[in-house]
Amino acid sequence: MIIGAVNGVSFRGVIIDSHIHYGHFKRVDNPNELAMYDGNHLDSFVKVPLNVSVSGVQQQDNVEKVIVSNLDCLIRDGMKNEIDGNKEMLDFCAQNPKYHPLAVCQPSKTGGNSANINKLLKENPDKFVGLKFHPRDFNLQADNKAYRTYLRLAERYKLPCVFHSDVNLNEDGSVKDVISSPKSIYNAAKEFPDVPVVMAHMGAGKAPISHDEAIEVLETSLKNKDAKLYVDLSWVDWGDDGLANAEQPSVVKLIKMLQENAATDRVLFGTDAPLGCYGEKLADGLSPKQAYERTVGTLKTVIKENFSKDADELIEKIFYKNADNLFFKKEWLNVTEELPHAPSISRIALIAVGAVAGLSAVSYVFNRFFGPREGQDERFNK
């Protein structure tokens, strides 16, 4: 896997970028124009080696996998619906083995009916690595009941869910709304404690308070053990020059908290490329690839300079291992639990156990496996 530094020498590292996009997006310099960001934009830093400087030492890194979602399904006036946009994403990823799709969900448009996503997951087993939600763009608070049937599907199909998160502030620093807030996402995650939920951007915002809220929510969930919350580091500690700043105090604070709680598996590297400095609005004098290399090198340097004895292990986990476990190996699963496609004999065995345990257990098993499906679970009508 990743080989860390030995006697001051840095070796090649491999990366999973947990947050990348494909599709149309409004250009910063011309909001009336929808620019198309396709495979050519992404390949510039995904399919070529990265020249990275870590604490002044040059090394070559490689992006091995990326988790990608379709922007055409995410913008409020989305160009594509759940079926068309996600099928397009499947077709794109089928031609690009490094790319792995999230199924974008539109609960505000479907009224909480998850039948389209259920159909996609059934017809394309093991193709989607998770579900994606963007409360901000759809103006639907993250703990709204419309999300519940989708989270129920994630529970059934054993998939992580990725929520855009932010702390939207007024000019005076007060909180403007909680549409995509970490607290709202936490409320949703607590209803489905077996479903991993990623707070993308770790509570994005211009002030440290935005990231602080995400860190506090994550710590609370770890102490209470009532949700499987994660964060990704895209747009965390961003500077005025359009690049991650050199100190990254929120990242340092996060890692220290996770170490104290033995939970350094809950943080993922991500960029939100090709948006921002990776294509949408270039940082001064840098190409998208150079901006990407700068992002990787800066974060690794911050980790090495603040966590010297644990740095190599942390870099491996943040840049590769945590995402690999979450989206691919799924080590968070209880391996004794029955998967949705398990043989019917397993159901018979469970029912038999329920009969011995008592009528209430039989009722639970019956409802779990034969009860309402596809958005009809009675829990979601609360």
Side-chain angles (χ1 to χ4, degrees):
M1 199 60 65
I2 296 177
I3 304 175
V6 177
N7 294 328
V9 179
S10 292
F11 296 95
R12 177 176 298 179
V14 290
I15 294 170
I16 296 177
D17 190 328
S18 67
H19 196 142
I20 273 186
H21 293 296
Y22 166 100
H24 294 83
F25 201 74
K26 293 180 181 179
R27 294 182 59 89
V28 172
D29 55 355
N30 186 359
N32 296 318
E33 178 187 348
L34 281 175
M36 176 60 185
Y37 297 98
D38 57 17
N40 291 327
H41 292 84
L42 302 180
D43 287 350
S44 66
F45 37 79
V46 171
K47 290 195 172 181
V48 294
L50 302 174
N51 299 309
V52 177
S53 175
V54 182
S55 296
V57 179
Q58 294 295 320
Q59 66 180 61
Q60 270 198 345
D61 287 4
N62 286 282
V63 178
E64 183 175 287
K65 301 174 185 175
V66 296
I67 312 300
V68 60
S69 55
N70 196 341
L71 287 166
D72 290 351
C73 296
L74 287 170
I75 56 177
R76 189 174 302 178
D77 300 322
M79 301 169 62
K80 291 184 169 64
N81 58 36
E82 288 179 337
I83 295 292
D84 295 339
N86 287 313
K87 281 187 174 181
E88 180 181 68
M89 202 74 267
L90 281 176
D91 293 340
F92 169 74
C93 292
Q95 304 301 317
N96 301 271
K98 288 192 173 187
Y99 296 90
H100 302 270
L102 296 175
V104 175
C105 304
Q106 300 173 332
S108 62
K109 292 190 172 185
T110 66
N113 187 337
S114 59
N116 287 338
I117 298 299
N118 185 52
K119 176 180 172 66
L120 284 168
L121 296 177
K122 278 185 175 180
E123 293 178 349
N124 302 279
D126 302 320
K127 297 297 184 182
F128 291 100
V129 297
L131 305 184
K132 177 68 180 290
F133 303 94
H134 209 297
R136 171 66 57 196
D137 273 358
F138 287 102
N139 197 32
L140 185 68
Q141 192 163 311
D143 52 5
N144 187 286
K145 67 180 182 180
Y147 292 92
R148 292 174 182 164
T149 55
Y150 290 91
L151 287 164
R152 180 66 180 85
L153 283 184
E155 181 181 59
R156 190 195 315 172
Y157 286 97
K158 311 300 182 187
L159 294 174
C161 292
V162 180
F163 278 76
H164 166 89
S165 74
D166 63 55
V167 177
N168 195 21
L169 302 176
N170 293 306
E171 291 184 4
D172 63 0
S174 60
V175 176
K176 186 174 183 179
D177 63 57
V178 294
I179 291 172
S180 296
S181 73
K183 291 178 180 177
S184 295
I185 295 169
Y186 183 26
N187 288 338
K190 284 189 288 188
E191 293 196 47
F192 297 86
D194 293 327
V195 177
V197 172
V198 181
M199 298 184 292
H201 316 304
M202 200 170 84
K206 294 182 178 179
I209 187 177
S210 300
H211 300 314
D212 287 346
E213 179 178 312
I215 294 171
E216 291 167 6
V217 164
L218 178 55
E219 183 173 24
T220 299
S221 74
L222 292 170
K223 292 184 181 301
N224 292 342
K225 299 181 179 179
D226 56 359
K228 282 188 173 69
L229 286 181
Y230 294 69
V231 295
D232 83 34
L233 299 179
S234 56
W235 298 118
V236 176
D237 291 333
W238 224 246
D240 292 336
D241 61 354
L243 296 166
N245 68 50
E247 289 78 26
Q248 301 196 28
S250 297
V251 173
V252 173
K253 181 177 180 178
L254 167 73
I255 294 174
K256 288 180 178 178
M257 182 278 288
L258 292 177
Q259 287 181 323
E260 292 171 359
N261 289 275
T264 54
D265 60 323
R266 299 299 185 96
V267 53
L268 314 170
F269 173 72
T271 59
D272 210 28
L275 304 185
C277 61
Y278 313 109
E280 178 196 6
K281 185 179 181 181
L282 303 181
D284 291 342
L286 297 181
S287 69
K289 179 175 182 286
Q290 289 171 328
Y292 198 99
E293 292 167 337
R294 181 81 64 87
T295 299
V296 172
T298 299
L299 178 55
K300 288 190 175 184
T301 298
V302 166
I303 294 172
K304 281 187 172 288
E305 291 180 351
N306 287 275
F307 304 95
S308 55
K309 71 181 182 66
D310 300 316
D312 293 332
E313 178 186 2
L314 287 168
I315 287 172
E316 180 178 17
K317 295 183 78 171
I318 292 171
F319 280 88
Y320 189 91
K321 188 175 181 180
N322 291 347
D324 192 37
N325 288 341
L326 177 62
F327 293 104
F328 302 102
K329 292 183 178 178
K330 299 187 178 183
E331 294 181 359
W332 47 271
L333 277 176
N334 181 348
V335 295
T336 63
E337 289 182 354
E338 182 191 21
L339 294 174
H341 56 275
S344 58
I345 188 171
S346 298
R347 295 185 178 186
I348 296 173
L350 281 175
I351 292 173
V353 170
V356 174
L359 183 59
S360 62
V362 174
S363 175
Y364 166 79
V365 173
F366 182 86
N367 287 326
R368 173 68 176 84
F369 296 107
F370 304 101
R373 296 290 190 183
E374 299 181 17
Q376 299 302 312
D377 192 317
E378 64 276 4
R379 284 193 295 162
F380 309 143
N381 296 320
K382 293 180 181 178

